[in-house]
Amino acid sequence: MQPALPGDSARAPQGDRNRTMKATIERATLLRCLSHVQSVVERRNTIPILSNVLIDASTDGAVRIMATDLDLQVVESMAAVSVETPGALTVSAHLLFDIARKLPEGSQVGLEAADNRLTVKAGRSRFQLPTLPRDDFPVIVEGDLPTSFELPARVLAELIDKTRFAISTEETRYYLNGIFLHVSDDGQPLLKAAATDGHRLARYTLARPEGAEGMPDVIVPRKAVGELRKLLDEALDGNVEIDLSASKIRFTLGGEGGVVLTSKLIDGTFPDYSRVIPTGNDKLLKLDPKSFFEGVDRVATIATEKTRAVKMGLEQDRVVLSVTSPDNGTAAEEVPAAYSAEGFEIGFNANYLKDILHQIEGDSVELHLADPGAPTLIRQDEKSPALYVLMPMRV
Amino acid sequence: MHADETEDEDAAPGLRKIIHVDMDAFFASVEQRDDPDLRGKPVAVGGATGRGVVAAASYEARKFGVRSAMPSLRAQQLCPGLIFRKPRFDVYREVSQQIRAIFRDYTPHVEPLSLDEAYLDVTEDLKGIGSATRIAELIRQRIRKETGLTASAGVSYNKFLAKLASDQNKPDGICVIRPGQGAGFVAGLPVRRFHGVGPRGAEKMARLGIETGADLREKDIAFLKANFGSFADYLYRAARGIDLRPVRANRPRKSLGGERTFMGDISAGHALHETLDRIADIVWGRIEEAEARGRTVTLKLRFTDFRIVTRARSLPHFVSGKAEFVKLGHDLLDEMLPLPLPARLMGLTLSALEGEDAEKPQKDMAQLSLL
């Protein structure tokens, strides 16, 4: 499926030269649609057209709204009450969104473009906004997207939730600024998603969906991941179609007339992360993730920005969490646990631990430890699709 | 980076005894000491050929107008008999160790500014001498005896005044600014002598009718703020001879770098790249000299309208060597090309130095890495 994009020449409407257009849309529909696309638009833009959304009303009564930041674009179609004059124009995304938010509930919004102005009418309100021509609006050229597969929206949302917190924000290692997607054949065909910031790693594994075989390794940028996750929230019961090449990826939600998110992929090589996943950690600690999380959270109250380290003293069937701060004093808490290996102490960044524990469902979490300087493997159990590796801190 | 200055003020109460010791024409004097043929002659340390610059000039050379950071060719024009010597940093570092050892006989509070310059806080000296002037004289005598070189010293009750004083009777001189004399001393000085006031700053002050410390003192803080922004606080205090910064032993170095103003304005890419090579040579020399390692490289350009633009790149690891340092510089320059205006100055700096992390979030030190 290749959804027609507003940039397609076949769709260039007659009236475009004069930027005329007239359509009426339910305020709720317009607001929902704008709320989906407007966050793509960067608040500060040096290129005026990038502050705008493209509004394209066609004869069939559909109005498309599109936003872009040149790396990521979102197109959403909505049903108009009526389209009197088909046409397209661009107008400030945040202005139109703010206006739509403040218009009375249940109102119908008239959009009428003429003379480089867009008139927005609802009830007794009337706004006139400057426009820029649709032809100046940059559209990402998708090119061929030879790999196509589908995933249930719920699965895709879980994949994102379990990995995105580990995405690096460090610009120097730009290739870590996204979720790495790749297929592999470890006995059975798998699709794996991984993210790391060099201190922790999150990996989510699922059976390889049909159509994903032979797909190139791709890194989906952080912003695209965030926007996609927001869109998924409103379409959790459906499927998402994913089309990709080595340089672009497209997510189509809600089938025809839904939302299409297209993103450039990060042009880089994700490191071979499999080598940092420990396989021989023989000290197994099991405990309740909720009381563990809460304990870490409590003792970390003492930790300052400088020393976020939480020390874990592992003893027979218990863990003593402690924090010592030169400024704030000390904190300690004992958490019951199942542990029978040799006792030792290890430190972790409290926030990293909490990020991971936050993603653990169920009433048990496993920590596979080796020593205070080695990566620790964390997972719910051996069957869980998500796996985490956390590097300790020296304490 | 400047946040610690406010803390410093709180930590520096009472009247102190500060000495600023500054070796006279250090590199050049070492060369003259080690080669009797050079004594009494104009000597420059630095590369003589094509693109070299003068790192230091003897007093004989200074009479001709030769100054450090001057292109060697220009120096030779000014002083036709100028004798060039390649810098011998090993020797300079050795002498530097010698003089620092002398300082430490009198006080543990020694803050070196470079190889040849240091502040000493002798409010409580180790030998119980009590007189800062006496200590300064003893130090100068010992430096002469033990290294065969001369040093100038400034004695006062803060760093700002001590540094002004050491410059007062150079070479081989001493000057004391006693409590109560600071404001008077500063009042008579041309503002150009204030540390941090360059030719442009002095020019601007002249336009505002400020020629001397006394002129500066007449201006209120609001006026200074309006005209000099964040520099105002410093100027306000300096004009009153006030400086509360403590002498900080083992003060960590924040960055290492160098910059130079071109003889003529440059806008062509290839010429800028060539200039960058030369600056990188000098700066890398300093980096090696200091045995420093750092993660951030910053390129600075000042345009003909005096606007300054900087570009920086930080690596996750320390810059591995000169080749990488130079390459990062060129990459940064490429990002800035083409220039909106010709450039009149270029600077290259290495920062985020090793050891700096110790002051910063412990997290970075303590957090182990996966990749």
Side-chain angles (χ1 to χ4, degrees), chain A residues 172 198 307-308 391-394, chain B residues 314 362-363 365-367 370:
Chain A
T172 48
T307 53
R308 253 174 305 184
M391 231 16 218
M393 288 179 83
R394 281 192 222 97
Chain B
S314 292
Q362 244 179 342
K363 171 195 135 202
M365 286 279 284
Q367 175 66 54
L370 269 177

Side-chain angles (χ1 to χ4, degrees), chain A residues 184-225:
Chain A
S184 76
D185 228 327
D186 321 338
Q188 50 177 324
L190 298 171
L191 173 66
K192 293 179 182 175
T196 180
D197 62 3
H199 297 154
R200 61 254 174 92
L201 168 87
R203 189 192 69 181
Y204 187 86
T205 308
L206 65 157
R208 189 183 69 202
E210 203 178 318
E213 58 276 6
M215 76 169 238
D217 295 354
V218 297
I219 307 166
V220 185
R222 183 178 48 233
K223 184 172 173 187
V225 169

Side-chain angles (χ1 to χ4, degrees), chain B residues 12-57:
Chain B
L15 208 52
R16 297 169 297 154
K17 297 174 187 169
I18 310 293
I19 304 174
H20 179 251
V21 181
D22 192 5
M23 300 296 288
D24 300 320
F26 183 49
F27 296 175
S29 300
V30 172
E31 296 308 319
Q32 288 178 321
R33 177 194 73 176
D34 293 352
D35 182 352
D37 289 350
L38 297 178
R39 291 180 198 162
K41 293 182 184 152
V43 177
V45 175
T49 50
R51 288 166 182 162
V53 292
V54 175

Side-chain angles (χ1 to χ4, degrees), chain A residues 1-80:
Chain A
M1 186 188 85
Q2 190 85 24
L5 284 163
D8 292 358
S9 56
R11 295 186 36 78
Q14 288 271 306
D16 187 45
R17 191 166 305 158
N18 304 319
R19 265 182 266 170
T20 60
M21 182 208 77
K22 190 173 180 194
T24 306
I25 304 166
E26 290 286 349
R27 178 251 184 191
T29 310
L30 180 67
L31 181 59
R32 176 170 44 79
C33 188
L34 283 171
S35 71
H36 291 161
V37 302
Q38 57 91 25
S39 52
V40 173
V41 177
E42 297 286 347
R43 278 277 169 188
R44 275 185 292 271
N45 258 312
T46 47
I47 309 169
I49 192 96
L50 293 181
S51 304
N52 285 8
V53 283
L54 175 73
I55 302 175
D56 183 0
S58 59
T59 38
D60 58 9
V63 175
R64 282 184 174 77
I65 296 206
M66 175 169 179
T68 184
D69 70 357
L70 293 178
D71 292 323
L72 168 66
Q73 74 184 18
V74 175
V75 191
E76 179 159 1
S77 298
M78 56 187 172

